[in-house]
Amino acid sequence: MFISKQYKLKSLSLSYNALQGSVPSWLLYNNTLLMLSLRSNHLYGGIPASSQIQASSLLMLDVSDNCLGSTLRTNVLESFPDLFYLNLSNNTLEGTLPSSFDNLLKLEVLDLSHNFLQGKLPPALRQNHTSLARLVLSNNFHGEVMPHFSNMSNLAYLHLQNDGFIGVLPAAMFNLPVLKVMDISGNNLSGNVPDYFPLFPHLAILILARNQFHGIIPVSLCQMQKLHILDMSANSLSGVLPSCLGNITAWMKESQVLLPAFMWLSPSYTNYRVKVPLTTKGNALSYEGIPLSQMTTLDLSMNHFTNEIPSQLGELAALHSLNLSHNVLSGHIPESL
């Protein structure tokens, strides 16, 4: 109870301990606390509601890597109107997302990954949050893949990997002017790869792996001079490998991406690293920080490409990983490789 007597406490981290029991209601609804991290403990029982019908003053709440293991109460998030950052990942949460997400209008980072949430996404998560900068899902959601992003002008990091989204990528999805990372791998998306990815002037990481895309690689991708990682493996793409991929600047010379491009600055002015799962040399690993900012990868494996390997790919002096395995490529291996 000593914490409840700290009347000037603004930030509290109890992360990476062996704490048990439920999340204390008095801790969430403390009048002074702004930053609270309970990450990696053994807490259970969901997020409690306020016992005194009062709003929480929290700006940041991280209860990831626990055992909350229940559904999210319908109105519980109405008690957190000022949240900038919410991380509920790795908690075996079940059920659908409550409509109270509509009230988190100041939210900049939302991580719900590695739970058992399902159903369709609330409309507010798809179009009304003008503050969202990073969205991480990775659950059992289904339906069309985020069909409306019309108001998400601050979204920089979009992680929708290993969900159940279907259909094609609609044009309405691509009004994201500051997008830097898009990972929509491991879904059931189909159709042709859109030719309007160059509309993202800052996109550095594009991961479309393990879907059902077919057709050719649009040559418009060659216009993406800031592209560092392109993974289109395990689809049904065919045709020829565009030789113009050798024109992408980031693969020709050492990386110019600064580390802050893959960080998020919190209201407390502490950096939150963006993690991206990548497969290199057959190993699936998560990269973050400096290794991620310097990684350059082209993975077109497990498709149906049939032409010779363009010699221009051998001129990509800054490329760290090139994977063309499990295709139907013909001809000789270019000496430039």
Side-chain angles (χ1 to χ4, degrees), residues 3-10 25-34 54-58:
I3 296 176
S4 65
K5 305 298 183 182
Q6 307 300 311
Y7 299 114
K8 295 184 179 180
L9 197 63
K10 300 293 184 182
S25 176
W26 57 265
L27 188 56
L28 293 182
Y29 302 99
N30 184 298
N31 289 329
T32 64
L33 201 59
L34 301 178
Q54 67 183 76
S56 171
S57 60
L58 286 175

Side-chain angles (χ1 to χ4, degrees), residues 125-154:
L125 275 182
R126 300 188 300 189
Q127 62 189 43
N128 294 333
H129 280 302
T130 58
S131 298
L132 266 180
R134 182 168 190 241
L135 178 60
V136 189
L137 295 183
S138 302
N139 279 268
N140 297 317
F141 297 114
H142 65 269
E144 294 182 346
V145 55
M146 307 289 283
H148 299 294
F149 278 109
S150 58
N151 295 328
M152 301 181 77
S153 58
N154 294 316

Side-chain angles (χ1 to χ4, degrees), residues 85 90 98 116 155 175 178 214 218 288 308 319:
Y85 175 101
N90 287 292
F116 300 101
L155 192 66
N175 185 20
V178 298
H214 56 79
E288 60 181 303
E308 296 185 3
L319 198 62

Side-chain angles (χ1 to χ4, degrees), residues 50-188:
S50 173
S51 59
Q52 300 177 352
I53 315 179
Q54 67 183 76
S56 171
S57 60
L58 286 175
L59 301 179
M60 298 184 67
L61 176 59
D62 188 344
V63 288
S64 59
D65 301 320
N66 278 283
C67 310
L68 296 184
S70 65
T71 58
L72 292 170
R73 293 181 178 89
T74 302
N75 60 349
V76 66
L77 294 176
E78 294 177 0
S79 301
F80 299 89
D82 296 322
L83 276 183
F84 279 82
Y85 175 101
L86 177 60
N87 191 343
L88 301 176
S89 62
N90 287 292
N91 267 297
T92 62
L93 292 170
E94 301 177 345
T96 59
L97 291 183
S99 59
S100 54
F101 271 97
D102 295 355
N103 301 307
L104 301 181
L105 298 179
K106 298 180 181 179
L107 202 61
E108 295 186 10
V109 170
L110 175 61
D111 191 342
L112 301 173
S113 59
H114 305 295
N115 285 294
F116 300 101
L117 298 168
Q118 57 187 330
K120 294 185 177 181
L121 298 177
L125 275 182
R126 300 188 300 189
Q127 62 189 43
N128 294 333
H129 280 302
T130 58
S131 298
L132 266 180
R134 182 168 190 241
L135 178 60
V136 189
L137 295 183
S138 302
N139 279 268
N140 297 317
F141 297 114
H142 65 269
E144 294 182 346
V145 55
M146 307 289 283
H148 299 294
F149 278 109
S150 58
N151 295 328
M152 301 181 77
S153 58
N154 294 316
L155 192 66
Y157 310 103
L158 178 62
H159 305 259
L160 305 181
Q161 65 269 29
N162 301 320
D163 280 296
F165 294 116
I166 62 173
V168 300
L169 295 177
M173 180 178 173
F174 287 85
N175 185 20
L176 303 171
V178 298
L179 192 67
K180 299 175 183 177
V181 176
M182 176 185 282
D183 184 352
I184 53 177
S185 59
N187 284 283
N188 295 306

Side-chain angles (χ1 to χ4, degrees), residues 231 291 315:
D231 186 349
E315 300 172 4

Side-chain angles (χ1 to χ4, degrees), residues 238-249:
S238 59
V240 300
L241 298 174
S243 60
C244 65
L245 290 174
N247 298 332
I248 294 180
T249 304

